[in-house]
């Protein structure tokens, strides 16, 4: 009999990827994904710990689940297994078990390949199963092949964890040490995705450009080489990767941007701050000028490269002058879009112990100033496309009937009135509107670049 599985996902794309893989692991046990938790046989909260209030959100969600779990039991409808996964589980597993004893399973990001055993154990015995180990084996060697299609644009985890230890960040503690999957494994997964209808692959990793692996010829490959190998897969039209660290932006990867047409002209390259003093306190291991030089090299290789970044304002000890350096860097670089955050002290990280924490109002006003600048840059970037024609890969249905939504090479969301048969294809769109977070346009011609791959593109992804 089929059992109902509900997974709620917070946070980054890696969590989205992990949630899909958890469903793959549970599929042989009869679990099928459902859209709401009420009445489900198993609920997994896949959590994020990167910024504030994450654990409060988890506990309030757990309160609601407890009621549903009780209601299900009282109705004689069996047991709801409640599980907490992801980075909050890793960081606060014991507290979760203590505060919410009705939680059946708590497990970290590196152990979900053992879900069948954890479920069996939870079903057999009373009390919670807690599994926040960093096992010696890699979960990737144990996960089953992905079930079904991920759709036109898919994510593929190639690297996980981080050894950089930025002083504000929990990732090295929650995700563990840097780990690269093998090239053979990645290429096989990519081929399967493409055979199932995927046209664009976004390579995922907390430090994706630190990826390295042994090639079949005995040499060590970096991400640039991996991108070149992926570009050989027939039918894979677009390749992206995220998120990168400036220190790992090597020359081969930069050259790949010039030489591999499938590698899209968009790069998310966080810098976090523009002041060298703050960058040093953050343990970023690069200066603002190092970053400027990398951007210059990238733009020399790929002049139309669209840049994105992450910024933290209000890091402990950040002065007005330091913050002005961040604004100067943003002005120098010019971003197509970016993410910016108020510094949030994370338990267990070195920066949280600093005595120079800044008041909330200072963080607020700096964030507002930075966002104003970044928004203006994004708007100018988007406005520059009005009247131009860009190739858009339609990967979703639009909000309105008859509309399709997709991405430009530069990662902008683009929507247009378009026939359904253009779904899953790259179509030339003339842009006629620039909006805060998207572009709108008109299909130039119904002739598309290439024929669809696989048979189930539309059915499988909407
Ligand atoms: N406070 C605020 N922002 C943070 N980030 C990571 N840790 C923190 C923190 N403690 C941001 C960084 C990172 C992005 C994923 O989240 O900018 O690049
Ligand atoms: Fe966190 Fe820094 Fe590692 Fe990025 S590079 S995951 S910000 S420690």
């Amino acid at each position: 009999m089929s059992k109902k599985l509900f997974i709620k996902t917070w946070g980054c794309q890696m969590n989205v990827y992990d949630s899909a893989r958890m469903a793959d692991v549970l599929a042989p046990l009869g679990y099928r994904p459902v859209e709401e938790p009420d009445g489900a046989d198993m609920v997994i909260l896949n959590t994020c710990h990167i910024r504030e209030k994450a654990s409060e959100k988890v506990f309030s969600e757990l309160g609601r689940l407890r009621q549903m779990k009780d209601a299900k039991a009282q109705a004689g409808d069996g047991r709801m297994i409640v599980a907490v996964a992801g980075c909050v589980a890793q960081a606060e597993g014991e507290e979760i078990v203590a505060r919410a004893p009705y939680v059946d399973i708590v497990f970290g990001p590196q152990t979900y390949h053992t879900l069948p055993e954890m479920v069996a154990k939870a079903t057999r015995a009373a009390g919670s199963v807690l599994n926040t180990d960093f096992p010696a084996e890699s979960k990737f060697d144990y996960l089953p092949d992905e079930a079904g299609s991920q759709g036109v644009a898919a994510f593929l985890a190639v690297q996980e964890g981080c050894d950089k230890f930025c002083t504000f960040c929990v990732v090295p503690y929650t995700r563990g040490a840097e780990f690269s999957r093998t090239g053979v494994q990645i290429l096989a997964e990519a081929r399967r995705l493409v055979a199932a209808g995927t046209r664009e692959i976004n390579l995922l990793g907390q430090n994706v450009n630190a990826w390295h692996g042994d090639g079949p010829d005995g040499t060590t490959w970096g991400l640039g080489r991996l991108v070149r190998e992926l570009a050989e897969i027939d039918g894979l039209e677009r390749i992206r990767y995220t998120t990168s660290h400036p220190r790992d932006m090597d020359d081969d990867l930069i050259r790949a941007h010039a030489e591999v047409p499938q590698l899209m002209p968009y790069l998310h390259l966080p810098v976090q701050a523009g002041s060298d003093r703050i960058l040093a306190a953050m343990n970023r291991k690069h200066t603002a000028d190092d970053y400027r030089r990398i951007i210059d090299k990238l733009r020399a290789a790929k002049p139309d490269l669209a840049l994105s970044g992450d910024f933290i304002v209000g890091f402990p000890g950040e002065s007005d002058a330091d913050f002005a350096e961040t604004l100067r860097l943003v002005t120098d670089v010019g971003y197509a879009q970016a993410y910016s955050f108020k510094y949030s002290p994370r338990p267990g990280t070195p920066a949280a112990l600093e005595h120079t924490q800044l008041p909330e109002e200072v963080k607020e006003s700096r964030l507002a100033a930075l966002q104003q600048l970044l928004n203006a840059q994004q708007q100018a970037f988007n406005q520059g496309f009005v009247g131009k024609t860009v190739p858009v890969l339609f990967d979703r249905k639009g909000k309105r009937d008859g509309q399709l939504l997709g991405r430009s090479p530069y990662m902008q969301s683009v929507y247009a009135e378009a026939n359904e048969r253009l779904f899953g294809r790259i179509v030339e769109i003339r842009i006629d509107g620039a909006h805060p977070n998207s572009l709108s346009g008109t299909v130039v011609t119904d002739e598309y670049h290439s024929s669809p791959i696989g048979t189930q593109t539309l059915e499988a992804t909407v």
Side-chain angles (χ1 to χ4, degrees), residues 163-177:
D163 293 342
K164 298 278 189 311
F165 289 92
C166 297
T167 56
F168 52 80
C169 185
V170 289
V171 166
Y173 312 98
T174 58
R175 287 269 167 185

Side-chain angles (χ1 to χ4, degrees), residues 277-339:
R277 204 175 66 81
I278 296 298
L279 287 169
M282 288 176 162
N283 190 30
R284 287 289 295 177
K285 305 183 177 81
H286 61 76
T287 63
D289 278 349
D290 292 337
Y291 184 83
R292 286 185 177 89
R293 274 190 290 273
I294 295 164
I295 300 296
D296 287 347
K297 267 197 202 173
L298 279 159
R299 284 199 163 130
K302 189 74 186 159
D304 63 335
L305 188 76
L307 283 162
S308 169
D310 289 346
F311 296 90
I312 295 178
V313 300
F315 186 81
E318 184 188 66
S319 66
D320 284 338
D322 291 321
F323 176 61
E325 289 293 297
T326 298
L327 295 178
R328 191 163 73 85
L329 183 63
V330 171
T331 305
D332 289 350
V333 171
Y335 287 89
Q337 64 134 83
Y339 305 91

Side-chain angles (χ1 to χ4, degrees), residues 50-51 168-170 243 268 270 272 284 310-312 339 341-346 349:
I50 198 101
R51 284 177 294 275
F168 52 80
C169 185
V170 289
T243 290
H268 182 62
Q272 312 296 356
R284 287 289 295 177
D310 289 346
F311 296 90
I312 295 178
Y339 305 91
F341 313 101
K342 287 185 285 187
Y343 169 71
S344 135
R346 305 284 65 217
T349 59

Side-chain angles (χ1 to χ4, degrees), residues 370-418:
L370 176 59
Q371 290 191 338
Q372 195 178 20
L373 178 59
L374 289 168
N375 287 343
Q377 289 190 342
Q378 180 172 353
Q379 229 158 36
F381 181 76
N382 284 344
Q383 200 63 45
F385 282 82
V386 175
K388 288 188 183 152
T389 298
V390 289
V392 172
L393 173 60
F394 283 127
D395 61 354
R396 279 159 291 166
K397 285 191 159 189
K399 276 202 197 95
R400 278 197 272 128
D401 262 2
Q403 253 182 9
L404 291 178
L405 193 64
R407 296 225 183 248
S408 76
Y410 311 99
M411 205 66 176
Q412 296 139 304
S413 288
V414 183
Y415 61 91
E417 303 291 317

